[in-house]
Amino acid sequence: MSEPKAVQPDAVDAVVEAWQRERPDLDMDAIAVVGRLGRAGLLLAPAQEAVFTSFGLQKGEFDVLASLRRSGDPYTLRPSQLSETLMLTRAGMTNRLDRLEAAGLVERTLDPADRRSFRVRLTDKGYATVDDAMTAHTANVTRLLSALSAEQLGGLDELLRVLLRALEA
Protein backbone atom coordinates (compact mmCIF):
# COMPACT_ATOMS: atom_id res chain seq x y z
CA MET A 1 0.00 0.00 0.00
CA SER A 2 1.47 3.38 -0.98
CA GLU A 3 1.54 6.32 1.37
CA PRO A 4 -0.87 9.18 0.62
CA LYS A 5 0.69 12.18 -1.05
CA ALA A 6 1.35 15.14 1.20
CA VAL A 7 -1.05 17.97 0.49
CA GLN A 8 0.77 21.04 -0.77
CA PRO A 9 0.09 24.31 1.08
CA ASP A 10 -2.16 26.85 -0.67
CA ALA A 11 -2.74 30.60 -0.42
CA VAL A 12 -5.20 30.13 2.43
CA ASP A 13 -2.54 28.36 4.52
CA ALA A 14 -0.39 31.50 4.43
CA VAL A 15 -3.30 33.63 5.66
CA VAL A 16 -4.15 31.16 8.43
CA GLU A 17 -0.51 30.90 9.52
CA ALA A 18 -0.22 34.68 9.71
CA TRP A 19 -3.36 34.93 11.86
CA GLN A 20 -2.19 32.08 14.08
CA ARG A 21 1.08 33.94 14.61
CA GLU A 22 -0.72 37.23 15.37
CA ARG A 23 -3.74 35.78 17.21
CA PRO A 24 -2.89 32.32 18.56
CA ASP A 25 -6.03 32.55 20.74
CA LEU A 26 -8.33 32.16 17.69
CA ASP A 27 -9.38 28.81 16.21
CA MET A 28 -8.81 29.30 12.48
CA ASP A 29 -10.31 26.03 11.21
CA ALA A 30 -13.61 27.57 10.07
CA ILE A 31 -11.81 30.59 8.59
CA ALA A 32 -9.65 28.23 6.51
CA VAL A 33 -12.71 26.40 5.15
CA VAL A 34 -14.62 29.59 4.32
CA GLY A 35 -11.50 31.06 2.74
CA ARG A 36 -11.07 28.00 0.53
CA LEU A 37 -14.75 27.98 -0.44
CA GLY A 38 -14.50 31.65 -1.42
CA ARG A 39 -11.28 31.22 -3.39
CA ALA A 40 -12.62 28.14 -5.15
CA GLY A 41 -15.72 30.10 -6.18
CA LEU A 42 -13.61 32.97 -7.48
CA LEU A 43 -11.35 30.63 -9.44
CA LEU A 44 -14.21 28.53 -10.87
CA ALA A 45 -16.39 31.47 -11.97
CA PRO A 46 -14.33 32.76 -14.95
CA ALA A 47 -13.98 29.27 -16.44
CA GLN A 48 -17.72 28.71 -16.13
CA GLU A 49 -18.56 32.16 -17.53
CA ALA A 50 -16.34 31.47 -20.56
CA VAL A 51 -18.58 28.54 -21.49
CA PHE A 52 -21.75 30.64 -21.17
CA THR A 53 -20.18 33.46 -23.20
CA SER A 54 -19.36 31.02 -25.99
CA PHE A 55 -23.13 30.53 -26.34
CA GLY A 56 -23.84 34.27 -26.23
CA LEU A 57 -25.12 34.09 -22.66
CA GLN A 58 -24.36 35.65 -19.32
CA LYS A 59 -24.46 33.32 -16.30
CA GLY A 60 -27.78 34.75 -15.13
CA GLU A 61 -29.33 34.22 -18.53
CA PHE A 62 -28.10 30.63 -18.57
CA ASP A 63 -29.69 30.16 -15.13
CA VAL A 64 -33.09 31.32 -16.47
CA LEU A 65 -32.88 29.05 -19.52
CA ALA A 66 -31.73 26.11 -17.38
CA SER A 67 -34.62 26.65 -14.94
CA LEU A 68 -37.10 26.59 -17.81
CA ARG A 69 -35.47 23.53 -19.40
CA ARG A 70 -35.45 21.46 -16.23
CA SER A 71 -39.07 22.39 -15.47
CA GLY A 72 -40.06 19.84 -18.13
CA ASP A 73 -42.39 20.02 -21.08
CA PRO A 74 -43.88 22.57 -21.92
CA TYR A 75 -40.78 24.42 -20.49
CA THR A 76 -42.94 27.24 -19.17
CA LEU A 77 -42.91 29.07 -15.83
CA ARG A 78 -44.32 32.27 -14.37
CA PRO A 79 -41.77 35.05 -13.80
CA SER A 80 -42.47 34.84 -10.05
CA GLN A 81 -41.49 31.14 -10.10
CA LEU A 82 -38.26 31.99 -11.89
CA SER A 83 -37.51 34.83 -9.43
CA GLU A 84 -38.07 32.52 -6.48
CA THR A 85 -36.00 29.68 -7.93
CA LEU A 86 -33.10 31.99 -8.80
CA MET A 87 -33.41 34.18 -5.67
CA LEU A 88 -33.69 37.27 -7.84
CA THR A 89 -35.82 40.39 -7.57
CA ARG A 90 -38.65 40.79 -10.04
CA ALA A 91 -36.90 43.80 -11.58
CA GLY A 92 -33.73 41.75 -12.08
CA MET A 93 -35.79 38.96 -13.62
CA THR A 94 -37.51 41.39 -15.99
CA ASN A 95 -34.12 42.60 -17.27
CA ARG A 96 -32.95 39.04 -17.93
CA LEU A 97 -36.21 38.11 -19.63
CA ASP A 98 -36.04 41.22 -21.83
CA ARG A 99 -32.56 40.22 -23.06
CA LEU A 100 -33.53 36.58 -23.58
CA GLU A 101 -36.70 37.53 -25.43
CA ALA A 102 -34.78 39.95 -27.67
CA ALA A 103 -32.38 37.10 -28.50
CA GLY A 104 -35.30 34.82 -29.43
CA LEU A 105 -34.55 32.35 -26.62
CA VAL A 106 -37.80 32.80 -24.66
CA GLU A 107 -41.24 34.16 -25.33
CA ARG A 108 -43.76 35.70 -22.95
CA THR A 109 -47.44 34.92 -23.34
CA LEU A 110 -50.52 35.80 -21.32
CA ASP A 111 -51.36 33.24 -18.66
CA PRO A 112 -54.63 31.60 -19.75
CA ALA A 113 -55.54 31.01 -16.08
CA ASP A 114 -54.91 34.64 -15.08
CA ARG A 115 -55.02 37.26 -17.83
CA ARG A 116 -53.25 39.77 -15.54
CA SER A 117 -50.15 37.60 -15.53
CA PHE A 118 -47.95 35.99 -18.14
CA ARG A 119 -45.79 32.93 -18.60
CA VAL A 120 -42.26 32.53 -19.95
CA ARG A 121 -41.56 29.68 -22.36
CA LEU A 122 -38.41 28.41 -24.02
CA THR A 123 -38.46 28.83 -27.77
CA ASP A 124 -37.03 26.08 -29.98
CA LYS A 125 -33.88 28.20 -30.26
CA GLY A 126 -33.74 28.59 -26.48
CA TYR A 127 -34.20 24.85 -25.97
CA ALA A 128 -31.35 24.03 -28.37
CA THR A 129 -29.10 26.73 -26.88
CA VAL A 130 -29.58 25.67 -23.26
CA ASP A 131 -29.13 21.98 -24.10
CA ASP A 132 -25.86 22.67 -25.92
CA ALA A 133 -24.69 25.06 -23.18
CA MET A 134 -25.54 22.54 -20.44
CA THR A 135 -23.57 19.81 -22.23
CA ALA A 136 -20.52 22.10 -22.46
CA HIS A 137 -21.00 23.38 -18.88
CA THR A 138 -21.14 19.84 -17.49
CA ALA A 139 -17.97 18.82 -19.33
CA ASN A 140 -16.22 22.00 -18.20
CA VAL A 141 -17.13 21.62 -14.52
CA THR A 142 -16.15 17.94 -14.61
CA ARG A 143 -12.76 19.00 -15.99
CA LEU A 144 -12.38 21.75 -13.39
CA LEU A 145 -12.99 19.30 -10.54
CA SER A 146 -10.92 16.47 -12.02
CA ALA A 147 -8.21 16.92 -9.36
CA LEU A 148 -10.62 15.15 -6.98
CA SER A 149 -11.19 11.40 -7.06
CA ALA A 150 -14.76 10.15 -7.38
CA GLU A 151 -14.71 9.35 -3.65
CA GLN A 152 -13.40 12.81 -2.74
CA LEU A 153 -15.96 14.49 -4.98
CA GLY A 154 -18.76 12.50 -3.36
CA GLY A 155 -17.50 13.30 0.12
CA LEU A 156 -17.22 17.00 -0.66
CA ASP A 157 -20.71 16.99 -2.15
CA GLU A 158 -22.16 15.42 1.00
CA LEU A 159 -20.30 17.80 3.32
CA LEU A 160 -21.48 20.83 1.35
CA ARG A 161 -25.06 19.47 1.39
CA VAL A 162 -24.92 19.27 5.21
CA LEU A 163 -23.51 22.80 5.39
CA LEU A 164 -26.12 24.24 3.01
CA ARG A 165 -28.98 22.59 4.92
CA ALA A 166 -27.73 24.20 8.12
CA LEU A 167 -27.20 27.62 6.54
CA GLU A 168 -30.61 27.57 4.82
CA ALA A 169 -32.48 26.56 8.00
Side-chain angles (χ1 to χ4, degrees), residues 16 20 27-34:
V16 168
Q20 287 175 331
D27 179 354
M28 298 301 294
D29 290 345
I31 292 291
V33 170
V34 170

mmCIF file of all heavy atoms in Angstrom, residues 16 20 27-34:
data_model
loop_
_atom_site.group_PDB
_atom_site.id
_atom_site.type_symbol
_atom_site.label_atom_id
_atom_site.label_comp_id
_atom_site.label_asym_id
_atom_site.label_seq_id
_atom_site.Cartn_x
_atom_site.Cartn_y
_atom_site.Cartn_z
ATOM 1 N N VAL A 16 -3.876 31.798 7.136
ATOM 2 C CA VAL A 16 -4.154 31.163 8.432
ATOM 3 C C VAL A 16 -2.908 31.192 9.316
ATOM 4 O O VAL A 16 -2.988 31.519 10.507
ATOM 5 C CB VAL A 16 -4.673 29.723 8.222
ATOM 6 C CG1 VAL A 16 -4.691 28.949 9.530
ATOM 7 C CG2 VAL A 16 -6.064 29.746 7.595
ATOM 8 N N GLN A 20 -2.569 32.893 12.917
ATOM 9 C CA GLN A 20 -2.186 32.084 14.076
ATOM 10 C C GLN A 20 -0.979 32.678 14.792
ATOM 11 O O GLN A 20 -0.885 32.619 16.014
ATOM 12 C CB GLN A 20 -1.913 30.632 13.656
ATOM 13 C CG GLN A 20 -3.181 29.887 13.335
ATOM 14 C CD GLN A 20 -2.945 28.488 12.813
ATOM 15 O OE1 GLN A 20 -1.927 28.195 12.190
ATOM 16 N NE2 GLN A 20 -3.919 27.617 13.040
ATOM 17 N N ASP A 27 -9.323 30.062 16.948
ATOM 18 C CA ASP A 27 -9.381 28.810 16.205
ATOM 19 C C ASP A 27 -9.659 29.166 14.753
ATOM 20 O O ASP A 27 -10.729 29.692 14.427
ATOM 21 C CB ASP A 27 -10.493 27.924 16.766
ATOM 22 C CG ASP A 27 -10.637 26.611 16.025
ATOM 23 O OD1 ASP A 27 -9.952 26.405 14.989
ATOM 24 O OD2 ASP A 27 -11.442 25.775 16.472
ATOM 25 N N MET A 28 -8.716 28.889 13.879
ATOM 26 C CA MET A 28 -8.809 29.304 12.479
ATOM 27 C C MET A 28 -9.362 28.239 11.541
ATOM 28 O O MET A 28 -9.396 28.442 10.325
ATOM 29 C CB MET A 28 -7.420 29.751 11.994
ATOM 30 C CG MET A 28 -6.853 30.957 12.741
ATOM 31 S SD MET A 28 -7.898 32.420 12.630
ATOM 32 C CE MET A 28 -7.779 32.787 10.912
ATOM 33 N N ASP A 29 -9.830 27.106 12.076
ATOM 34 C CA ASP A 29 -10.314 26.025 11.209
ATOM 35 C C ASP A 29 -11.462 26.484 10.300
ATOM 36 O O ASP A 29 -11.440 26.235 9.094
ATOM 37 C CB ASP A 29 -10.763 24.815 12.038
ATOM 38 C CG ASP A 29 -9.588 24.097 12.690
ATOM 39 O OD1 ASP A 29 -8.430 24.347 12.283
ATOM 40 O OD2 ASP A 29 -9.837 23.300 13.605
ATOM 41 N N ALA A 30 -12.463 27.129 10.870
ATOM 42 C CA ALA A 30 -13.611 27.567 10.070
ATOM 43 C C ALA A 30 -13.203 28.660 9.077
ATOM 44 O O ALA A 30 -13.692 28.690 7.942
ATOM 45 C CB ALA A 30 -14.741 28.052 10.972
ATOM 46 N N ILE A 31 -12.303 29.546 9.490
ATOM 47 C CA ILE A 31 -11.808 30.594 8.592
ATOM 48 C C ILE A 31 -11.127 29.959 7.379
ATOM 49 O O ILE A 31 -11.316 30.404 6.240
ATOM 50 C CB ILE A 31 -10.836 31.547 9.336
ATOM 51 C CG1 ILE A 31 -11.577 32.369 10.380
ATOM 52 C CG2 ILE A 31 -10.054 32.423 8.365
ATOM 53 C CD1 ILE A 31 -12.531 33.401 9.814
ATOM 54 N N ALA A 32 -10.344 28.910 7.614
ATOM 55 C CA ALA A 32 -9.653 28.232 6.507
ATOM 56 C C ALA A 32 -10.666 27.650 5.523
ATOM 57 O O ALA A 32 -10.516 27.792 4.300
ATOM 58 C CB ALA A 32 -8.737 27.138 7.057
ATOM 59 N N VAL A 33 -11.710 27.010 6.033
ATOM 60 C CA VAL A 33 -12.712 26.400 5.152
ATOM 61 C C VAL A 33 -13.444 27.468 4.348
ATOM 62 O O VAL A 33 -13.595 27.360 3.129
ATOM 63 C CB VAL A 33 -13.706 25.538 5.963
ATOM 64 C CG1 VAL A 33 -14.875 25.108 5.102
ATOM 65 C CG2 VAL A 33 -12.992 24.324 6.559
ATOM 66 N N VAL A 34 -13.902 28.523 5.023
ATOM 67 C CA VAL A 34 -14.624 29.585 4.320
ATOM 68 C C VAL A 34 -13.704 30.278 3.313
ATOM 69 O O VAL A 34 -14.121 30.595 2.193
ATOM 70 C CB VAL A 34 -15.239 30.590 5.325
ATOM 71 C CG1 VAL A 34 -15.773 31.822 4.616
ATOM 72 C CG2 VAL A 34 -16.352 29.910 6.116
#
